[in-house]
Amino acid sequence: MKIKKYLKEARLAPDSGDKIEYMSLRDKMTSNALVNSQRNTPGVACNYEADITRLLAVFESLKKSCGYRLTLNALLTKILVEGLKEAPRLNAHYVYNHHATSGRLIIKKHIDVSMAVCLDESKTFQIKIMHLEDKTLQETALLIEDAKRRLKNTDLNDLMYEVSRQRLIGELTHGRILTPLCQSVSACFGKGKVIHLSQSLKSDFLKLTGKKPFYNPDGLRPEELNEGSVCFTNWGTLYDNLNTNITYVPPVYPQVFLFGVSRTKEKEYVFKDENGNLQLGSKKILPLSLVFDHKIGGAADIMPFIRKLDEIFENPEIILTW
């Protein structure tokens, strides 16, 4: 084997004709968050099968009479918030130092839900719905719809660039130099560099097109792309015939809890009627994945959240009081 071919094989170089996709700015931000999560979060996942047969009936009735656009996604967000009120240690950030094997749990005052929103091009984008701890079901639904609307009015490339710049400055203020330096070099050089207009070119471009500058008051703000106090992901909205369940997704560091929702499924079951005869029935099951950072403690920390879920699904009329 020739030395050139040997070196190519050794570094797993692509072959002629292979398709190469370089990471976008969105991909870089997402990948960085997920790698940090895997490195810093020893996660524990438990699967909760929610019987939402009665809840759906109450929800459909409320949806017809409420006078605003109510989605199941908004209802599940409110259920998440109610559960976090009973388990405040899940609504927190854990800052951990590997070298000192020490850290601190920051229990957040506000419940800010990081939520994956599906864009037109079938890509998901994480945005933060803020200060939900004292919001009614209607206010929660309206806030989510407003955030989706403002997302469409936002120049995402410019917004992500601004958020990335803020995070680099944050790394530097904590005395971390190597990572920001490598990220800056990667963003400015090579085939995977981030293409960004200079201020003068951007000004000329905006004058020609008549577009508004980067910060659109009716768009998303940079802080709405930062990590919330908890993560909510709903795979069920991506595919109507989804036949898989979320089993594990790491909480986005420094968050300590992730609430994962799959697709509602019809399940048959056997029960006894009032005469003691066996009957065959069906119920609607919504698989939920509850993932938490084991550093905060053990199962006792998530039990208040689970008990609250039990209370809501067993007495779904409670949503009418929200």
Side-chain angles (χ1 to χ4, degrees):
M1 181 183 292
K2 295 182 179 179
I3 185 65
K4 185 176 181 181
K5 185 176 181 181
Y6 179 83
L7 292 175
K8 179 181 178 181
E9 293 290 336
R11 67 175 185 267
L12 300 178
D15 294 323
S16 175
D18 289 351
K19 181 180 179 182
I20 301 174
E21 292 186 359
Y22 291 96
M23 297 178 75
S24 65
L25 181 55
R26 170 188 168 276
D27 295 333
K28 290 182 178 182
M29 291 176 62
T30 303
S31 299
N32 185 56
L34 292 176
V35 170
N36 282 335
S37 299
Q38 292 284 17
R39 183 171 58 222
N40 293 295
T41 306
V44 178
C46 61
N47 296 322
Y48 182 102
E49 290 196 339
D51 182 355
I52 63 169
T53 309
R54 291 176 54 206
L55 178 73
L56 281 180
V58 178
F59 166 73
E60 290 297 336
S61 176
L62 178 60
K63 185 178 178 180
K64 293 177 181 178
S65 61
C66 65
Y68 59 92
R69 188 172 186 272
L70 178 62
T71 64
L72 186 58
N73 203 56
L75 176 60
L76 291 170
T77 303
K78 179 61 176 173
I79 289 174
L80 167 61
V81 171
E82 293 300 312
L84 291 174
K85 290 180 184 179
E86 300 298 319
R89 282 171 62 83
L90 298 180
N91 186 59
H93 286 176
Y94 204 115
V95 182
Y96 184 70
N97 187 313
H98 286 273
H99 302 292
T101 63
S102 178
R104 67 186 191 274
L105 181 69
I106 305 171
I107 300 175
K108 308 297 284 186
K109 174 182 177 181
H110 299 296
I111 298 178
D112 299 333
V113 179
S114 291
M115 179 181 298
V117 176
C118 189
L119 298 176
D120 294 337
E121 58 267 31
S122 299
K123 292 183 178 180
T124 57
F125 204 86
Q126 201 84 4
I127 61 176
K128 182 168 65 176
I129 313 298
M130 302 170 66
H131 298 184
L132 293 177
E133 66 279 354
D134 56 356
K135 299 296 187 293
T136 65
L137 178 58
Q138 178 178 356
E139 290 170 336
T140 300
L142 294 177
L143 281 173
I144 293 173
E145 290 301 313
D146 182 63
K148 291 180 180 179
R149 179 188 62 80
R150 290 187 293 112
L151 176 62
K152 296 179 180 179
N153 295 335
T154 304
D155 187 326
L156 293 176
N157 287 328
D158 266 342
L159 185 62
M160 287 187 292
Y161 186 89
E162 177 64 23
V163 172
S164 298
R165 182 164 52 188
Q166 289 180 4
R167 291 182 179 181
L168 286 178
I169 294 173
E171 290 281 309
L172 291 171
T173 58
H174 284 90
R176 294 186 282 268
I177 300 175
L178 183 59
T179 298
L181 178 62
C182 292
Q183 290 178 355
S184 299
V185 171
S186 173
C188 296
F189 302 99
K191 294 182 179 180
K193 68 180 181 181
V194 177
I195 299 175
H196 192 74
L197 292 177
S198 67
Q199 289 299 322
S200 59
L201 287 175
K202 184 186 294 185
S203 177
D204 294 340
F205 174 77
L206 293 173
K207 288 178 182 178
L208 289 172
T209 59
K211 289 187 176 182
K212 295 181 179 179
F214 150 68
Y215 185 74
N216 182 354
D218 198 34
L220 290 180
R221 303 180 300 275
E223 59 267 26
E224 292 178 280
L225 262 64
N226 290 325
E227 287 78 9
S229 60
V230 66
C231 190
F232 171 64
T233 182
N234 189 349
W235 284 17
T237 60
L238 299 177
Y239 178 43
D240 290 340
N241 297 317
L242 184 69
N243 199 30
T244 60
N245 299 334
I246 300 176
T247 54
Y248 178 79
V249 180
V252 178
Y253 182 80
Q255 297 170 4
V256 301
F257 184 59
L258 180 138
F259 186 69
V261 180
S262 298
R263 194 77 182 175
T264 303
K265 296 177 175 62
E266 193 91 18
K267 282 195 174 183
E268 294 182 345
Y269 70 105
V270 177
F271 67 97
K272 286 185 178 181
D273 62 17
E274 60 274 10
N275 299 319
N277 299 318
L278 292 178
Q279 301 288 342
L280 183 65
S282 65
K283 53 186 175 183
K284 297 184 184 299
I285 299 296
L286 179 62
L288 304 175
S289 182
L290 313 178
V291 187
F292 67 98
D293 187 339
H294 213 325
K295 295 198 302 295
I296 70 171
D301 290 293
I302 201 171
M303 287 307 154
F305 186 88
I306 292 176
R307 284 195 289 269
K308 188 62 177 180
L309 291 186
D310 290 341
E311 176 187 332
I312 293 170
F313 294 127
E314 291 170 4
N315 305 281
E317 290 78 13
I318 194 173
I319 72 172
L320 300 175
T321 66
W322 292 347

